[in-house]
Each structure stands twice: as C-alpha cells, then as structure tokens.
Amino acid sequence: MSTETQARDTIFIGKKPLMAYVTSTLIQLANIPTVSIKARGMSIGRAVDVAQIIVRKTEHAGFSIGDIIIDSEALESKDGKMRNVSTIEIVVKRNTA
Amino acid sequence: MSTETQARDTIFIGKKPLMAYVTSTLIQLANIPTVSIKARGMSIGRAVDVAQIIVRKTEHAGFSIGDIIIDSEALESKDGKMRNVSTIEIVVKRNTA
C-alpha cells in the first residue's frame, strides 16, 4: 500500500490515440498479471478495441480476455440534470503457461 | 426449425433511436428467456446502453445481464483494405423466479 512505484491495475480509456492505451496496458501487464480496461459512454467501443488489439497482436505471447462487467453511473450534466452513463470494465490477463 | 413466427434471439444494434432496440429486446424477452444484443464498431457503446436500460428499468420484473463476449471481425473497407472491427454480444436473460 505504501509502495511508491506501484503498478496501476486500471487503465481508463479517454481521447488519446488508441495505441497509447495499448502500450500503457502492455506495460502494466509486464509487471502485473491482470489489468482492467475501463471506459464510459462514447469511449466504450474504444475500450473493446484496445482489448482486442492486445489479444490479437499477442496471440502467441499470451494475453486473454477475462471478466467483462457493464454497469451505469449517474453523472450530473451541464444543465444540472442527472444522467445515466454506461460503463464497461474489461479484464485482460496474462495466460498462465 | 420450421416455425414461421419463431422469436429472434438476436437484436442487432444500428442507427435507430435507442428505445427502439429496448422495445424490440423486451418484446423478444416476453417470448424467450434469453436474447443476445449484438453490435460492432461505433455501435458498441449503444449496445451497452440498451442492456443497461433494460436491466435498470425492469429491476423488479427481473432481467439481468448474462455472458458478455467481445471479439473482432475482418471487414473490407471502401478502399479495398481489410480492417478489423470490434464486436460485442451481450446476453440479457429473464431471471428465474
């Protein structure tokens, strides 16, 4: 808990180029066996893209998709109303040899 | 197999208003216990929205999310190149009382 250089186990998908998230996720997976890719709203499709790129490109190195959780969060929009936004969490894990 | 009015067990998410897919899915779920909501590319986020609306709005009637499968498909784009597009399949099921 007090480790300064602790590996993050969650990658949040935003507006950066897709490969930036692929790289971040692969770097984390070099250190820890499972990483969660999280996104909400418009970024959900991109989270699936990131997970698929990792699994496809590393077919032999061996990462695979674990649990996929979908949910929704209440967020306050600019007009002050509460809106529900869908979320996704995709677990990518290193295959055990 | 020869039933003419067979219930479709798959709803493909496209460009219609979100609630059109919610309605279609609920109609199918009145007839059969599980329905798959499928989408690809840009529509993936909308598939998650449809599933979440159904599960949230029918909290007491009782539908829940089953398996979620992500994959990718090779599609030929307009310039003749093959491109991979991500896909999602979300199973929504009637809760057994």
Side-chain angles (χ1 to χ4, degrees):
Chain A
M1 277 164 76
S2 59
T3 317
E4 274 179 49
T5 56
Q6 196 175 9
R8 288 174 307 152
D9 59 358
T10 304
I11 303 286
F12 289 97
I13 305 299
K15 303 285 180 198
K16 288 188 211 163
L18 217 51
M19 293 313 285
Y21 299 108
V22 172
T23 307
S24 302
T25 307
L26 287 174
I27 289 170
Q28 296 313 317
L29 281 169
N31 298 314
I32 51 176
T34 65
V35 170
S36 289
I37 298 170
K38 289 188 182 179
R40 59 187 181 194
M42 301 282 285
S43 301
I44 286 176
R46 289 161 56 75
V48 177
D49 291 341
V50 170
Q52 282 296 310
I53 291 168
I54 290 168
V55 172
R56 251 186 300 116
K57 301 257 182 195
T58 67
E59 218 170 325
H60 303 293
F63 296 112
S64 57
I65 305 291
D67 287 340
I68 304 171
I69 301 138
I70 62 174
D71 202 351
S72 50
E73 271 175 32
L75 280 187
E76 196 175 338
S77 63
K78 283 176 189 167
D79 58 5
K81 286 187 186 159
M82 296 306 287
R83 292 188 195 285
N84 281 300
V85 60
S86 296
T87 64
I88 198 166
E89 174 177 354
I90 304 169
V91 175
V92 179
K93 59 187 181 187
R94 204 189 301 155
N95 294 342
T96 46
Chain B
M1 279 167 75
S2 59
T3 317
E4 273 179 51
T5 56
Q6 197 175 8
R8 286 175 307 154
D9 59 357
T10 305
I11 303 287
F12 288 97
I13 305 299
K15 302 286 179 198
K16 288 187 211 164
L18 217 52
M19 293 313 285
Y21 299 109
V22 173
T23 306
S24 301
T25 307
L26 287 174
I27 288 169
Q28 295 312 317
L29 282 169
N31 297 314
I32 51 175
T34 64
V35 170
S36 288
I37 298 170
K38 289 189 182 178
R40 59 187 181 194
M42 301 281 286
S43 301
I44 286 176
R46 289 162 56 75
V48 177
D49 291 340
V50 170
Q52 282 297 310
I53 290 169
I54 289 169
V55 171
R56 251 188 297 116
K57 300 257 180 196
T58 66
E59 217 170 326
H60 303 293
F63 295 112
S64 58
I65 306 289
D67 288 340
I68 304 171
I69 301 137
I70 62 174
D71 202 349
S72 50
E73 272 176 31
L75 280 187
E76 196 175 339
S77 63
K78 283 177 188 166
D79 59 5
K81 286 186 186 158
M82 295 306 287
R83 293 189 194 286
N84 281 300
V85 59
S86 295
T87 64
I88 198 166
E89 174 178 355
I90 304 169
V91 175
V92 179
K93 58 186 182 188
R94 204 189 300 154
N95 294 341
T96 47

